[in-house]
Amino acid sequence: MKPFHILYFCFLLIGASCTDVIEVDVPEAPPRLTIEASLDWERGTSGSDQTILLSTSTPYFAEQKIAPVLGASVRVTNEDSGAEFVFEDQNNGEYTTSSFIPVIGNTYALEVIYNEERYTAKETLVPVSDIVDVYQSTEDGEDEDALEVNVTFQDPEGIENYYFLRFKSEANLFPELYYIKDEFIDGNEFTIYYEKLADEDDGITEFQPGETVAIAFYGISKQYHDYLRLLVEQYENAGNPFSPTPVPLVGNCVNTDNPENIAYGYFRVTEAIKTTYTIE
């Protein structure tokens, strides 16, 4: 063994002998019920098939990150017509119905009974505005040479509207989310663009010919818009050490028997337009 190799080996031994195991004490909150109840009526379909997901939160270092909830009682009631829709337990955390009837402007009430506690929420089914055009360009993004996908929609005049726009590229793991209110675009056409900037560290490339983007456009309530705003802000600030400490987002599901035992998640009822665009 050469002298340099011997010296390097000694440094390795010294480094190994000085290494201590640091145990991080992460505070653990009690498990919370998580309700993923997005009743989305895609335009052009009956909207009768709907699924609600129930799970419980788990400790940060737990091997199982999602703990499905079994044996709960789940129902949704149309408060305008009195129609009741029972969601059947599929024994995997999914609760489904094939008889849901979506009606624009009607208010729906969710009831979940789990561990002898009752959780409730209400939302009104909000219509979505028409998409006028979907196209590609290089006009609006940060990189003048990079392609972007544009969605133009027509906002109705004199009505307070809120929207949720979701882009999901087949080449990206996570979607791009936009929450929109029509305060400054009332009655006008408005365009949102989605541009992918290349990032070698994350393995992200600019849009390539043949790449497909899934687009979902929702009409949402002001309450859900505000919830989304906080959700997106926390997501975007996750890597910023100077951003405020994230706090658990509490949605509109209320525990009527034990208010301190809050639930995570949200109950929404929306009309949606879904489409795809393939880069040329």
Side-chain angles (χ1 to χ4, degrees):
M1 183 180 292
K2 294 181 179 180
F4 174 78
H5 290 160
I6 294 174
L7 181 62
Y8 179 70
F9 183 67
C10 290
F11 276 126
L12 283 179
L13 289 178
I14 294 172
S17 63
C18 295
T19 300
D20 293 327
V21 177
I22 301 176
E23 296 184 359
V24 179
D25 185 15
V26 179
E28 293 185 2
R32 302 283 188 185
L33 178 65
T34 300
I35 301 173
E36 299 177 62
S38 299
L39 306 188
D40 299 326
W41 173 23
E42 183 179 353
R43 184 179 290 181
T45 71
S46 68
S48 57
D49 294 328
Q50 299 290 342
T51 300
I52 291 175
L53 304 177
L54 299 182
S55 60
T56 56
S57 58
T58 58
Y60 184 80
F61 292 109
E63 292 184 5
Q64 184 181 19
K65 294 303 180 184
I66 298 178
V69 166
L70 312 181
S73 169
V74 180
R75 70 184 66 235
V76 172
T77 302
N78 182 323
E79 294 201 326
D80 293 85
S81 68
E84 186 177 87
F85 311 101
V86 176
F87 286 67
E88 301 292 340
D89 186 357
Q90 302 303 312
N91 296 312
N92 60 358
E94 296 183 359
Y95 293 76
T96 64
T97 184
S98 58
S99 60
F100 184 71
I101 303 174
V103 181
I104 295 291
N106 281 12
T107 297
Y108 293 82
L110 169 70
E111 178 190 71
V112 175
I113 299 176
Y114 172 63
N115 279 351
E116 300 183 348
E117 293 184 350
R118 180 172 175 263
Y119 300 81
T120 63
K122 290 184 182 181
E123 270 275 50
T124 299
L125 202 165
V126 179
V128 67
S129 297
D130 292 327
I131 289 180
V132 176
D133 196 11
V134 180
Y135 60 96
Q136 68 184 57
S137 72
T138 58
E139 299 175 358
D140 299 317
E142 297 179 28
D143 186 340
E144 61 182 12
D145 297 321
L147 287 170
E148 65 214 28
V149 176
N150 302 266
V151 172
T152 300
F153 66 92
Q154 175 65 53
D155 180 72
E157 186 176 2
I159 303 173
E160 187 175 284
N161 291 289
Y162 298 86
Y163 306 99
F164 170 37
L165 181 59
R166 180 182 185 272
F167 293 97
K168 176 65 174 68
S169 166
E170 60 184 354
N172 280 20
L173 181 61
F174 298 107
E176 189 80 8
L177 308 178
Y178 296 84
Y179 53 91
I180 309 158
K181 63 178 179 179
D182 71 346
E183 182 178 3
F184 302 109
I185 62 172
D186 182 59
N188 295 296
E189 285 191 358
F190 189 67
T191 299
I192 297 288
Y193 73 88
Y194 168 39
E195 177 190 44
K196 284 201 309 171
L197 296 176
D199 188 328
E200 294 183 1
D201 293 336
D202 292 333
I204 298 175
T205 61
E206 298 174 357
F207 279 124
Q208 303 298 317
E211 188 173 340
T212 298
V213 179
I215 300 166
F217 185 46
Y218 305 84
I220 59 174
S221 65
K222 180 183 185 302
Q223 186 180 13
Y224 187 58
H225 167 274
D226 294 343
Y227 175 84
L228 271 178
R229 177 176 55 81
L230 293 174
L231 177 67
V232 172
E233 286 177 357
Q234 288 202 8
Y235 170 76
E236 291 179 343
N237 291 329
N240 182 3
F242 302 105
S243 63
T245 303
V247 296
L249 281 177
V250 179
N252 61 343
C253 300
V254 177
N255 186 330
T256 59
D257 293 314
N258 182 8
E260 293 185 358
N261 186 23
I262 61 174
Y264 298 144
Y266 200 96
F267 171 57
R268 79 180 187 207
V269 188
T270 68
E271 183 187 25
I273 296 174
K274 296 183 180 181
T275 187
T276 59
Y277 184 85
T278 301
I279 302 297
E280 298 175 356

PDB file of all heavy atoms in Angstrom, residues 96-130:
ATOM      1  N   THR A  96     -67.639   4.181  -2.550  1.00  0.00           N
ATOM      2  CA  THR A  96     -68.094   4.508  -3.898  1.00  0.00           C
ATOM      3  C   THR A  96     -69.613   4.482  -4.028  1.00  0.00           C
ATOM      4  O   THR A  96     -70.313   3.816  -3.266  1.00  0.00           O
ATOM      5  CB  THR A  96     -67.505   3.517  -4.921  1.00  0.00           C
ATOM      6  OG1 THR A  96     -68.018   2.197  -4.649  1.00  0.00           O
ATOM      7  CG2 THR A  96     -65.987   3.490  -4.847  1.00  0.00           C
ATOM      8  N   THR A  97     -70.077   5.223  -5.028  1.00  0.00           N
ATOM      9  CA  THR A  97     -71.479   5.172  -5.430  1.00  0.00           C
ATOM     10  C   THR A  97     -71.544   5.253  -6.949  1.00  0.00           C
ATOM     11  O   THR A  97     -70.658   5.844  -7.579  1.00  0.00           O
ATOM     12  CB  THR A  97     -72.305   6.314  -4.816  1.00  0.00           C
ATOM     13  OG1 THR A  97     -73.680   6.147  -5.176  1.00  0.00           O
ATOM     14  CG2 THR A  97     -71.844   7.665  -5.322  1.00  0.00           C
ATOM     15  N   SER A  98     -72.584   4.676  -7.522  1.00  0.00           N
ATOM     16  CA  SER A  98     -72.807   4.769  -8.971  1.00  0.00           C
ATOM     17  C   SER A  98     -74.139   5.445  -9.266  1.00  0.00           C
ATOM     18  O   SER A  98     -74.657   5.337 -10.373  1.00  0.00           O
ATOM     19  CB  SER A  98     -72.770   3.372  -9.612  1.00  0.00           C
ATOM     20  OG  SER A  98     -73.759   2.536  -9.024  1.00  0.00           O
ATOM     21  N   SER A  99     -74.691   6.146  -8.258  1.00  0.00           N
ATOM     22  CA  SER A  99     -76.019   6.733  -8.427  1.00  0.00           C
ATOM     23  C   SER A  99     -76.054   8.235  -8.120  1.00  0.00           C
ATOM     24  O   SER A  99     -77.134   8.811  -7.971  1.00  0.00           O
ATOM     25  CB  SER A  99     -77.023   6.015  -7.518  1.00  0.00           C
ATOM     26  OG  SER A  99     -76.647   6.126  -6.151  1.00  0.00           O
ATOM     27  N   PHE A 100     -74.887   8.861  -8.023  1.00  0.00           N
ATOM     28  CA  PHE A 100     -74.860  10.286  -7.700  1.00  0.00           C
ATOM     29  C   PHE A 100     -75.502  11.103  -8.824  1.00  0.00           C
ATOM     30  O   PHE A 100     -75.304  10.812 -10.017  1.00  0.00           O
ATOM     31  CB  PHE A 100     -73.425  10.755  -7.475  1.00  0.00           C
ATOM     32  CG  PHE A 100     -73.304  12.192  -7.047  1.00  0.00           C
ATOM     33  CD1 PHE A 100     -73.708  12.582  -5.786  1.00  0.00           C
ATOM     34  CD2 PHE A 100     -72.794  13.154  -7.912  1.00  0.00           C
ATOM     35  CE1 PHE A 100     -73.603  13.915  -5.384  1.00  0.00           C
ATOM     36  CE2 PHE A 100     -72.678  14.477  -7.521  1.00  0.00           C
ATOM     37  CZ  PHE A 100     -73.091  14.853  -6.254  1.00  0.00           C
ATOM     38  N   ILE A 101     -76.259  12.139  -8.459  1.00  0.00           N
ATOM     39  CA  ILE A 101     -76.912  13.010  -9.435  1.00  0.00           C
ATOM     40  C   ILE A 101     -76.431  14.439  -9.199  1.00  0.00           C
ATOM     41  O   ILE A 101     -76.817  15.088  -8.224  1.00  0.00           O
ATOM     42  CB  ILE A 101     -78.448  12.952  -9.320  1.00  0.00           C
ATOM     43  CG1 ILE A 101     -78.941  11.516  -9.493  1.00  0.00           C
ATOM     44  CG2 ILE A 101     -79.094  13.876 -10.340  1.00  0.00           C
ATOM     45  CD1 ILE A 101     -80.443  11.351  -9.252  1.00  0.00           C
ATOM     46  N   PRO A 102     -75.577  14.966 -10.073  1.00  0.00           N
ATOM     47  CA  PRO A 102     -75.089  16.339  -9.913  1.00  0.00           C
ATOM     48  C   PRO A 102     -76.079  17.345 -10.491  1.00  0.00           C
ATOM     49  O   PRO A 102     -76.586  17.171 -11.597  1.00  0.00           O
ATOM     50  CB  PRO A 102     -73.778  16.337 -10.711  1.00  0.00           C
ATOM     51  CG  PRO A 102     -73.978  15.279 -11.751  1.00  0.00           C
ATOM     52  CD  PRO A 102     -74.909  14.248 -11.167  1.00  0.00           C
ATOM     53  N   VAL A 103     -76.348  18.406  -9.742  1.00  0.00           N
ATOM     54  CA  VAL A 103     -77.251  19.470 -10.185  1.00  0.00           C
ATOM     55  C   VAL A 103     -76.574  20.810  -9.906  1.00  0.00           C
ATOM     56  O   VAL A 103     -76.274  21.129  -8.751  1.00  0.00           O
ATOM     57  CB  VAL A 103     -78.616  19.405  -9.459  1.00  0.00           C
ATOM     58  CG1 VAL A 103     -79.535  20.522  -9.981  1.00  0.00           C
ATOM     59  CG2 VAL A 103     -79.267  18.041  -9.629  1.00  0.00           C
ATOM     60  N   ILE A 104     -76.325  21.578 -10.966  1.00  0.00           N
ATOM     61  CA  ILE A 104     -75.682  22.880 -10.818  1.00  0.00           C
ATOM     62  C   ILE A 104     -76.483  23.759  -9.863  1.00  0.00           C
ATOM     63  O   ILE A 104     -77.706  23.876  -9.965  1.00  0.00           O
ATOM     64  CB  ILE A 104     -75.547  23.590 -12.172  1.00  0.00           C
ATOM     65  CG1 ILE A 104     -74.609  22.814 -13.097  1.00  0.00           C
ATOM     66  CG2 ILE A 104     -75.059  25.025 -12.002  1.00  0.00           C
ATOM     67  CD1 ILE A 104     -73.167  22.819 -12.675  1.00  0.00           C
ATOM     68  N   GLY A 105     -75.800  24.395  -8.907  1.00  0.00           N
ATOM     69  CA  GLY A 105     -76.431  25.315  -7.984  1.00  0.00           C
ATOM     70  C   GLY A 105     -77.009  24.674  -6.746  1.00  0.00           C
ATOM     71  O   GLY A 105     -77.388  25.386  -5.802  1.00  0.00           O
ATOM     72  N   ASN A 106     -77.094  23.347  -6.705  1.00  0.00           N
ATOM     73  CA  ASN A 106     -77.623  22.669  -5.520  1.00  0.00           C
ATOM     74  C   ASN A 106     -76.522  22.493  -4.473  1.00  0.00           C
ATOM     75  O   ASN A 106     -75.347  22.381  -4.795  1.00  0.00           O
ATOM     76  CB  ASN A 106     -78.212  21.312  -5.879  1.00  0.00           C
ATOM     77  CG  ASN A 106     -79.598  21.427  -6.491  1.00  0.00           C
ATOM     78  OD1 ASN A 106     -80.044  22.504  -6.863  1.00  0.00           O
ATOM     79  ND2 ASN A 106     -80.286  20.312  -6.615  1.00  0.00           N
ATOM     80  N   THR A 107     -76.954  22.448  -3.214  1.00  0.00           N
ATOM     81  CA  THR A 107     -76.018  22.292  -2.101  1.00  0.00           C
ATOM     82  C   THR A 107     -76.031  20.847  -1.616  1.00  0.00           C
ATOM     83  O   THR A 107     -77.093  20.255  -1.438  1.00  0.00           O
ATOM     84  CB  THR A 107     -76.389  23.232  -0.933  1.00  0.00           C
ATOM     85  OG1 THR A 107     -76.275  24.588  -1.388  1.00  0.00           O
ATOM     86  CG2 THR A 107     -75.466  23.035   0.256  1.00  0.00           C
ATOM     87  N   TYR A 108     -74.832  20.316  -1.408  1.00  0.00           N
ATOM     88  CA  TYR A 108     -74.673  18.920  -0.980  1.00  0.00           C
ATOM     89  C   TYR A 108     -74.015  18.879   0.396  1.00  0.00           C
ATOM     90  O   TYR A 108     -73.100  19.666   0.681  1.00  0.00           O
ATOM     91  CB  TYR A 108     -73.825  18.145  -1.995  1.00  0.00           C
ATOM     92  CG  TYR A 108     -74.517  17.975  -3.333  1.00  0.00           C
ATOM     93  CD1 TYR A 108     -74.506  18.997  -4.280  1.00  0.00           C
ATOM     94  CD2 TYR A 108     -75.208  16.807  -3.638  1.00  0.00           C
ATOM     95  CE1 TYR A 108     -75.147  18.856  -5.497  1.00  0.00           C
ATOM     96  CE2 TYR A 108     -75.851  16.656  -4.864  1.00  0.00           C
ATOM     97  CZ  TYR A 108     -75.816  17.687  -5.779  1.00  0.00           C
ATOM     98  OH  TYR A 108     -76.463  17.545  -6.983  1.00  0.00           O
ATOM     99  N   ALA A 109     -74.501  17.952   1.222  1.00  0.00           N
ATOM    100  CA  ALA A 109     -73.973  17.793   2.583  1.00  0.00           C
ATOM    101  C   ALA A 109     -73.327  16.415   2.712  1.00  0.00           C
ATOM    102  O   ALA A 109     -73.937  15.397   2.369  1.00  0.00           O
ATOM    103  CB  ALA A 109     -75.088  17.944   3.610  1.00  0.00           C
ATOM    104  N   LEU A 110     -72.105  16.393   3.194  1.00  0.00           N
ATOM    105  CA  LEU A 110     -71.377  15.147   3.439  1.00  0.00           C
ATOM    106  C   LEU A 110     -71.501  14.769   4.904  1.00  0.00           C
ATOM    107  O   LEU A 110     -71.398  15.624   5.787  1.00  0.00           O
ATOM    108  CB  LEU A 110     -69.901  15.319   3.081  1.00  0.00           C
ATOM    109  CG  LEU A 110     -68.941  14.201   3.522  1.00  0.00           C
ATOM    110  CD1 LEU A 110     -69.193  12.934   2.703  1.00  0.00           C
ATOM    111  CD2 LEU A 110     -67.487  14.655   3.393  1.00  0.00           C
ATOM    112  N   GLU A 111     -71.700  13.473   5.159  1.00  0.00           N
ATOM    113  CA  GLU A 111     -71.675  12.962   6.530  1.00  0.00           C
ATOM    114  C   GLU A 111     -70.794  11.720   6.566  1.00  0.00           C
ATOM    115  O   GLU A 111     -71.005  10.770   5.806  1.00  0.00           O
ATOM    116  CB  GLU A 111     -73.075  12.589   7.014  1.00  0.00           C
ATOM    117  CG  GLU A 111     -73.074  12.006   8.435  1.00  0.00           C
ATOM    118  CD  GLU A 111     -74.417  11.408   8.822  1.00  0.00           C
ATOM    119  OE1 GLU A 111     -74.764  10.340   8.259  1.00  0.00           O
ATOM    120  OE2 GLU A 111     -75.102  11.989   9.665  1.00  0.00           O
ATOM    121  N   VAL A 112     -69.789  11.737   7.416  1.00  0.00           N
ATOM    122  CA  VAL A 112     -68.909  10.582   7.641  1.00  0.00           C
ATOM    123  C   VAL A 112     -68.972  10.241   9.123  1.00  0.00           C
ATOM    124  O   VAL A 112     -68.750  11.102   9.976  1.00  0.00           O
ATOM    125  CB  VAL A 112     -67.456  10.893   7.234  1.00  0.00           C
ATOM    126  CG1 VAL A 112     -66.542   9.716   7.594  1.00  0.00           C
ATOM    127  CG2 VAL A 112     -67.360  11.201   5.743  1.00  0.00           C
ATOM    128  N   ILE A 113     -69.284   8.987   9.425  1.00  0.00           N
ATOM    129  CA  ILE A 113     -69.279   8.527  10.817  1.00  0.00           C
ATOM    130  C   ILE A 113     -68.148   7.506  10.949  1.00  0.00           C
ATOM    131  O   ILE A 113     -68.139   6.473  10.265  1.00  0.00           O
ATOM    132  CB  ILE A 113     -70.619   7.896  11.212  1.00  0.00           C
ATOM    133  CG1 ILE A 113     -71.742   8.940  11.085  1.00  0.00           C
ATOM    134  CG2 ILE A 113     -70.574   7.362  12.642  1.00  0.00           C
ATOM    135  CD1 ILE A 113     -73.126   8.399  11.370  1.00  0.00           C
ATOM    136  N   TYR A 114     -67.203   7.828  11.826  1.00  0.00           N
ATOM    137  CA  TYR A 114     -66.023   6.975  12.011  1.00  0.00           C
ATOM    138  C   TYR A 114     -65.639   6.992  13.482  1.00  0.00           C
ATOM    139  O   TYR A 114     -65.545   8.063  14.091  1.00  0.00           O
ATOM    140  CB  TYR A 114     -64.865   7.491  11.142  1.00  0.00           C
ATOM    141  CG  TYR A 114     -63.551   6.816  11.400  1.00  0.00           C
ATOM    142  CD1 TYR A 114     -63.385   5.442  11.155  1.00  0.00           C
ATOM    143  CD2 TYR A 114     -62.451   7.536  11.882  1.00  0.00           C
ATOM    144  CE1 TYR A 114     -62.173   4.818  11.399  1.00  0.00           C
ATOM    145  CE2 TYR A 114     -61.237   6.926  12.116  1.00  0.00           C
ATOM    146  CZ  TYR A 114     -61.104   5.563  11.877  1.00  0.00           C
ATOM    147  OH  TYR A 114     -59.902   4.946  12.116  1.00  0.00           O
ATOM    148  N   ASN A 115     -65.425   5.814  14.039  1.00  0.00           N
ATOM    149  CA  ASN A 115     -65.100   5.681  15.468  1.00  0.00           C
ATOM    150  C   ASN A 115     -66.120   6.400  16.344  1.00  0.00           C
ATOM    151  O   ASN A 115     -65.757   7.098  17.309  1.00  0.00           O
ATOM    152  CB  ASN A 115     -63.689   6.203  15.754  1.00  0.00           C
ATOM    153  CG  ASN A 115     -62.617   5.183  15.409  1.00  0.00           C
ATOM    154  OD1 ASN A 115     -62.916   4.023  15.107  1.00  0.00           O
ATOM    155  ND2 ASN A 115     -61.367   5.607  15.445  1.00  0.00           N
ATOM    156  N   GLU A 116     -67.383   6.272  15.966  1.00  0.00           N
ATOM    157  CA  GLU A 116     -68.509   6.835  16.714  1.00  0.00           C
ATOM    158  C   GLU A 116     -68.472   8.364  16.785  1.00  0.00           C
ATOM    159  O   GLU A 116     -69.076   8.969  17.676  1.00  0.00           O
ATOM    160  CB  GLU A 116     -68.572   6.239  18.126  1.00  0.00           C
ATOM    161  CG  GLU A 116     -68.751   4.718  18.128  1.00  0.00           C
ATOM    162  CD  GLU A 116     -68.875   4.146  19.531  1.00  0.00           C
ATOM    163  OE1 GLU A 116     -68.593   4.881  20.497  1.00  0.00           O
ATOM    164  OE2 GLU A 116     -69.254   2.970  19.648  1.00  0.00           O
ATOM    165  N   GLU A 117     -67.764   8.988  15.848  1.00  0.00           N
ATOM    166  CA  GLU A 117     -67.759  10.443  15.744  1.00  0.00           C
ATOM    167  C   GLU A 117     -68.253  10.852  14.353  1.00  0.00           C
ATOM    168  O   GLU A 117     -67.966  10.178  13.356  1.00  0.00           O
ATOM    169  CB  GLU A 117     -66.370  11.017  16.020  1.00  0.00           C
ATOM    170  CG  GLU A 117     -65.935  10.816  17.469  1.00  0.00           C
ATOM    171  CD  GLU A 117     -64.599  11.454  17.785  1.00  0.00           C
ATOM    172  OE1 GLU A 117     -63.905  11.896  16.845  1.00  0.00           O
ATOM    173  OE2 GLU A 117     -64.243  11.505  18.980  1.00  0.00           O
ATOM    174  N   ARG A 118     -68.970  11.960  14.304  1.00  0.00           N
ATOM    175  CA  ARG A 118     -69.638  12.398  13.074  1.00  0.00           C
ATOM    176  C   ARG A 118     -68.929  13.625  12.498  1.00  0.00           C
ATOM    177  O   ARG A 118     -68.721  14.621  13.187  1.00  0.00           O
ATOM    178  CB  ARG A 118     -71.107  12.725  13.378  1.00  0.00           C
ATOM    179  CG  ARG A 118     -71.937  13.187  12.201  1.00  0.00           C
ATOM    180  CD  ARG A 118     -73.401  13.278  12.630  1.00  0.00           C
ATOM    181  NE  ARG A 118     -74.247  13.820  11.586  1.00  0.00           N
ATOM    182  CZ  ARG A 118     -74.610  15.096  11.504  1.00  0.00           C
ATOM    183  NH1 ARG A 118     -74.206  15.950  12.453  1.00  0.00           N
ATOM    184  NH2 ARG A 118     -75.377  15.525  10.517  1.00  0.00           N
ATOM    185  N   TYR A 119     -68.562  13.515  11.219  1.00  0.00           N
ATOM    186  CA  TYR A 119     -67.911  14.606  10.501  1.00  0.00           C
ATOM    187  C   TYR A 119     -68.858  15.079   9.395  1.00  0.00           C
ATOM    188  O   TYR A 119     -69.435  14.262   8.670  1.00  0.00           O
ATOM    189  CB  TYR A 119     -66.601  14.147   9.871  1.00  0.00           C
ATOM    190  CG  TYR A 119     -65.578  13.623  10.855  1.00  0.00           C
ATOM    191  CD1 TYR A 119     -65.647  12.308  11.339  1.00  0.00           C
ATOM    192  CD2 TYR A 119     -64.529  14.425  11.298  1.00  0.00           C
ATOM    193  CE1 TYR A 119     -64.714  11.828  12.238  1.00  0.00           C
ATOM    194  CE2 TYR A 119     -63.584  13.944  12.193  1.00  0.00           C
ATOM    195  CZ  TYR A 119     -63.680  12.651  12.658  1.00  0.00           C
ATOM    196  OH  TYR A 119     -62.759  12.167  13.545  1.00  0.00           O
ATOM    197  N   THR A 120     -69.010  16.399   9.262  1.00  0.00           N
ATOM    198  CA  THR A 120     -69.916  16.937   8.257  1.00  0.00           C
ATOM    199  C   THR A 120     -69.249  18.067   7.479  1.00  0.00           C
ATOM    200  O   THR A 120     -68.303  18.715   7.956  1.00  0.00           O
ATOM    201  CB  THR A 120     -71.207  17.483   8.893  1.00  0.00           C
ATOM    202  OG1 THR A 120     -70.881  18.577   9.750  1.00  0.00           O
ATOM    203  CG2 THR A 120     -71.934  16.407   9.691  1.00  0.00           C
ATOM    204  N   ALA A 121     -69.760  18.305   6.262  1.00  0.00           N
ATOM    205  CA  ALA A 121     -69.292  19.407   5.427  1.00  0.00           C
ATOM    206  C   ALA A 121     -70.359  19.713   4.390  1.00  0.00           C
ATOM    207  O   ALA A 121     -71.178  18.846   4.057  1.00  0.00           O
ATOM    208  CB  ALA A 121     -67.974  19.061   4.743  1.00  0.00           C
ATOM    209  N   LYS A 122     -70.347  20.943   3.890  1.00  0.00           N
ATOM    210  CA  LYS A 122     -71.305  21.342   2.854  1.00  0.00           C
ATOM    211  C   LYS A 122     -70.585  22.092   1.742  1.00  0.00           C
ATOM    212  O   LYS A 122     -69.658  22.854   1.991  1.00  0.00           O
ATOM    213  CB  LYS A 122     -72.403  22.240   3.433  1.00  0.00           C
ATOM    214  CG  LYS A 122     -73.374  21.553   4.362  1.00  0.00           C
ATOM    215  CD  LYS A 122     -74.475  22.511   4.813  1.00  0.00           C
ATOM    216  CE  LYS A 122     -75.437  21.823   5.784  1.00  0.00           C
ATOM    217  NZ  LYS A 122     -76.536  22.736   6.206  1.00  0.00           N
ATOM    218  N   GLU A 123     -71.046  21.866   0.497  1.00  0.00           N
ATOM    219  CA  GLU A 123     -70.548  22.613  -0.650  1.00  0.00           C
ATOM    220  C   GLU A 123     -71.661  22.725  -1.680  1.00  0.00           C
ATOM    221  O   GLU A 123     -72.514  21.831  -1.796  1.00  0.00           O
ATOM    222  CB  GLU A 123     -69.347  21.917  -1.294  1.00  0.00           C
ATOM    223  CG  GLU A 123     -67.996  22.324  -0.729  1.00  0.00           C
ATOM    224  CD  GLU A 123     -67.443  23.600  -1.376  1.00  0.00           C
ATOM    225  OE1 GLU A 123     -68.198  24.597  -1.450  1.00  0.00           O
ATOM    226  OE2 GLU A 123     -66.280  23.599  -1.809  1.00  0.00           O
ATOM    227  N   THR A 124     -71.630  23.810  -2.459  1.00  0.00           N
ATOM    228  CA  THR A 124     -72.571  24.008  -3.551  1.00  0.00           C
ATOM    229  C   THR A 124     -71.882  23.675  -4.866  1.00  0.00           C
ATOM    230  O   THR A 124     -70.721  24.050  -5.083  1.00  0.00           O
ATOM    231  CB  THR A 124     -73.075  25.465  -3.574  1.00  0.00           C
ATOM    232  OG1 THR A 124     -73.757  25.731  -2.340  1.00  0.00           O
ATOM    233  CG2 THR A 124     -74.035  25.695  -4.728  1.00  0.00           C
ATOM    234  N   LEU A 125     -72.590  22.957  -5.749  1.00  0.00           N
ATOM    235  CA  LEU A 125     -72.006  22.558  -7.025  1.00  0.00           C
ATOM    236  C   LEU A 125     -71.907  23.782  -7.928  1.00  0.00           C
ATOM    237  O   LEU A 125     -72.918  24.361  -8.326  1.00  0.00           O
ATOM    238  CB  LEU A 125     -72.853  21.473  -7.689  1.00  0.00           C
ATOM    239  CG  LEU A 125     -72.139  20.592  -8.724  1.00  0.00           C
ATOM    240  CD1 LEU A 125     -72.968  19.357  -9.029  1.00  0.00           C
ATOM    241  CD2 LEU A 125     -71.842  21.340 -10.011  1.00  0.00           C
ATOM    242  N   VAL A 126     -70.677  24.159  -8.235  1.00  0.00           N
ATOM    243  CA  VAL A 126     -70.404  25.379  -8.986  1.00  0.00           C
ATOM    244  C   VAL A 126     -70.130  25.043 -10.447  1.00  0.00           C
ATOM    245  O   VAL A 126     -69.366  24.124 -10.739  1.00  0.00           O
ATOM    246  CB  VAL A 126     -69.192  26.123  -8.378  1.00  0.00           C
ATOM    247  CG1 VAL A 126     -68.872  27.376  -9.158  1.00  0.00           C
ATOM    248  CG2 VAL A 126     -69.456  26.451  -6.911  1.00  0.00           C
ATOM    249  N   PRO A 127     -70.728  25.781 -11.402  1.00  0.00           N
ATOM    250  CA  PRO A 127     -70.457  25.513 -12.818  1.00  0.00           C
ATOM    251  C   PRO A 127     -69.079  26.008 -13.225  1.00  0.00           C
ATOM    252  O   PRO A 127     -68.485  26.871 -12.569  1.00  0.00           O
ATOM    253  CB  PRO A 127     -71.557  26.295 -13.541  1.00  0.00           C
ATOM    254  CG  PRO A 127     -71.853  27.440 -12.616  1.00  0.00           C
ATOM    255  CD  PRO A 127     -71.698  26.876 -11.223  1.00  0.00           C
ATOM    256  N   VAL A 128     -68.561  25.477 -14.314  1.00  0.00           N
ATOM    257  CA  VAL A 128     -67.277  25.922 -14.841  1.00  0.00           C
ATOM    258  C   VAL A 128     -67.516  26.659 -16.147  1.00  0.00           C
ATOM    259  O   VAL A 128     -68.453  26.347 -16.887  1.00  0.00           O
ATOM    260  CB  VAL A 128     -66.321  24.721 -15.061  1.00  0.00           C
ATOM    261  CG1 VAL A 128     -66.811  23.799 -16.175  1.00  0.00           C
ATOM    262  CG2 VAL A 128     -64.908  25.190 -15.354  1.00  0.00           C
ATOM    263  N   SER A 129     -66.690  27.655 -16.418  1.00  0.00           N
ATOM    264  CA  SER A 129     -66.816  28.424 -17.661  1.00  0.00           C
ATOM    265  C   SER A 129     -66.252  27.629 -18.835  1.00  0.00           C
ATOM    266  O   SER A 129     -65.523  26.649 -18.655  1.00  0.00           O
ATOM    267  CB  SER A 129     -66.087  29.763 -17.522  1.00  0.00           C
ATOM    268  OG  SER A 129     -66.675  30.551 -16.502  1.00  0.00           O
ATOM    269  N   ASP A 130     -66.584  28.081 -20.040  1.00  0.00           N
ATOM    270  CA  ASP A 130     -66.154  27.372 -21.245  1.00  0.00           C
ATOM    271  C   ASP A 130     -64.681  27.630 -21.549  1.00  0.00           C
ATOM    272  O   ASP A 130     -64.194  28.764 -21.416  1.00  0.00           O
ATOM    273  CB  ASP A 130     -66.985  27.819 -22.454  1.00  0.00           C
ATOM    274  CG  ASP A 130     -68.434  27.377 -22.353  1.00  0.00           C
ATOM    275  OD1 ASP A 130     -68.677  26.291 -21.792  1.00  0.00           O
ATOM    276  OD2 ASP A 130     -69.318  28.118 -22.827  1.00  0.00           O
TER     277      ASP A 130
END
